[in-house]
């Protein structure tokens, strides 16, 4: 689907945001009556005032979720019936694709073309995929003697908290709720405070689809209050989180200090793009490399922010990357031609700009961009930025920038390439480019990352598990059948015959 400019204007003219919490099947103000304001980061103008849920609202959501789980209206529904309702849910999201895409573009500064062609369709596809799996996963029977039967069954874990980031608001929520709902759990979502609107609208659609009251709840609010309350609640069985490593650590603490709830973390990265000297088609590498770092403004946990390139081809590759970057137009996110929208908020833009200053101060060579642009719009735009002569000990090579900033680092041989690529506390994703099939196998095994894409930039798709090694992840995977594991308990039923 593509959206023409006039269609976008029509959608905006008819937009009315759902700004209340969604708890127990109803839209509710926060108990405190408080709201917080969200803005359009492409203009700096306020967009909506949203219910500011805190610990008390989370407690009610947990009560509703628990009640729904215990009454079995969803948790013990036949998987085929859950599938039917989840299909309807996905259909409704699809029906509202244009509205949701525009909402996300307005609230997150994301290019509308990406919202319409990637974020919302993949949200729909994710819910459908897990729904389809609901009645196709079998349990097991162990090898016992004739006098016993040992059944190994999977059961929903119970009440799941999902704490969501702002970079792919609907899609990251779908990655969590798709498998959690398909396996029969009740879910409480806390969206990022900067991007709550699509989650709140999708919650309304869940009720229309027939998901029973209390099974799917959304509590907008701040991390330090609503997020923390989810982490520390004694009656939440699991939390799935995507966001910074710093907050991920807090969830482990929350769990340790409360009920030892299961914690699943997906926490950022500093992904290497390793380009070996034997690659003939450097145009293809450049095209992938540009997409890998500038897609979603670099506000992407798999952004390939370190270009680790053989010194013999570095200059040629950088020339090609710079030439292709010219096609990555920075501009109004609602313009279908825009490829780079605004940073999510002013403090984040300032953080990205401070990394650029750090790169210059530490002696890296700025060869493209480096500035805030379009300041006259009131929005928080940063142009695509490339540094050459980076060493792996520099701040821009070590810390997650989460912006459109690429750092080029050279190597002389394969061993050095691997050492540089793995010299990071993160391990979410990596790309390898080589024309040598043996090197492709060696490197994809040697790189310590949850996803390694070879001769392309890819996160895999809904069929493949997604998550990190090292400080990029903990406790489970999103996507694929593996995602169902984090939302289920294994029970052994041992029978004497
Ligand atoms: P956070 O990790 O702070 O936010 C992620 C989610 O956690 C949000 O819903 C947030 O709520 C919530 N949260 C924040 N603080 C707490 C807390 N003390 N207890 C419980 N929940 C909390 O990410 P930021 O938005 O601050 O971004 C900071 C950096 O994190 C980025 O620059 C980037 O490096 C990384 N990041 C990585 C992402 C990824 O995809 N792995 C996604 C987003 C960010 P609230 O929005 O209210 O703060």
């Amino acid at each position: 689907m593509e959206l023409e400019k006039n269609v976008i204007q029509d959608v905006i003219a008819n937009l009315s945001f759902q700004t209340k919490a969604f708890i127990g099947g109803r839209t509710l103000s926060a108990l405190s009556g408080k709201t917080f304001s969200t803005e359009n980061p492409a203009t700096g103008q306020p967009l909506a005032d949203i219910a500011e849920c805190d610990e008390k609202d989370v407690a009610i959501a947990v009560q509703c979720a628990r009640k729904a789980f215990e009454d079995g209206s969803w948790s013990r529904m036949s998987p085929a019936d859950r599938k039917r309702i989840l299909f309807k849910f996905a259909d409704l999201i699809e029906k509202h694709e244009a509205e949701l895409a525009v909402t996300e573009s307005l609230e997150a500064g994301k290019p509308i073309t990406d919202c319409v062609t990637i974020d919302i369709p993949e949200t729909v596809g994710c819910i459908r995929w897990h729904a389809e799996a609901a009645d196709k996963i079998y349990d097991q029977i162990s090898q016992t003697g004739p006098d016993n039967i040992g059944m190994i069954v999977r059961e929903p874990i119970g009440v799941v908290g999902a704490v969501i980031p702002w970079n792919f608001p609907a899609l990251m929520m779908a990655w969590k709720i798709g498998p959690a709902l398909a396996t029969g759990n009740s879910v409480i979502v806390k969206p990022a405070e900067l991007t709550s609107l699509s989650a709140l609208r999708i919650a309304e659609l869940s009720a229309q689809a027939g998901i029973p009251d209390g099974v799917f709840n959304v509590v907008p609010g701040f991390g330090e209050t609503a997020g923390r309350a989810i982490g520390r609640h004694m009656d939440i069985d699991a939390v799935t989180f995507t966001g910074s490593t710093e907050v991920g650590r807090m969830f482990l603490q929350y769990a340790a200090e409360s009920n030892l709830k299961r914690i699943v973390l997906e926490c950022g990265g500093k992904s290497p793009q390793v380009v070996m000297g034997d690659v003939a088609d450097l145009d293809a590498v450049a095209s992938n490399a540009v997409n890998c770092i500038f897609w979603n403004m670099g506000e992407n946990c798999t952004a390939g922010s370190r270009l680790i390139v053989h010194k013999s081809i570095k200059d040629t590759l950088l020339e090609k990357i710079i030439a292709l970057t010219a096609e990555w137009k920075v501009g109004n996110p609602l313009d279908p031609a825009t490829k780079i929208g605004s940073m999510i908020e002013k403090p984040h833009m300032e953080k990205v700009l401070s990394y650029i200053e750090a790169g210059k101060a530490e002696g890296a060579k700025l060869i493209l961009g480096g500035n805030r642009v379009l300041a006259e719009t009131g929005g928080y735009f940063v142009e695509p930025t490339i540094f050459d002569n980076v060493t792996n000990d520099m701040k821009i090579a070590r810390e997650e920038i989460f912006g459109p900033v690429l750092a080029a680092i050279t190597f002389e041989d394969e061993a050095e390439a691997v050492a540089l690529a793995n010299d990071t506390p993160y391990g979410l994703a990596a790309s390898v480019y080589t024309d040598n099939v043996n090197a492709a196998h060696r490197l994809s095994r040697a790189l310590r990352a949850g996803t390694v894409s070879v001769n392309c930039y890819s996160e895999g798709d809904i069929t493949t598990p997604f998550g990190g090694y090292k400080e990029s992840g903990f406790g489970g995977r999103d996507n694929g059948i593996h995602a169902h594991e984090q939302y289920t308990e294994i029970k052994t039923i041992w029978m004497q015959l």
Side-chain angles (χ1 to χ4, degrees), residues 164-167 190 193 223 241 243-244 250 254 268 301 351 400:
I164 309 290
W166 41 258
N167 53 346
K190 195 209 83 67
E193 71 193 58
F241 166 84
S244 61
M250 289 182 195
Y254 297 153
C301 49
K351 182 174 144 191
E400 184 172 48

Side-chain angles (χ1 to χ4, degrees), residues 7 37 63 80 87 139 167 171-173 190 218 235 393 403 408 432 441 483-484:
V7 177
S37 156
Q63 273 174 17
F87 274 163
D139 287 330
N167 53 346
L171 184 56
M172 287 306 102
M173 181 172 79
K190 195 209 83 67
V218 180
D235 201 25
D393 56 349
V432 173
H441 279 281
H484 289 225

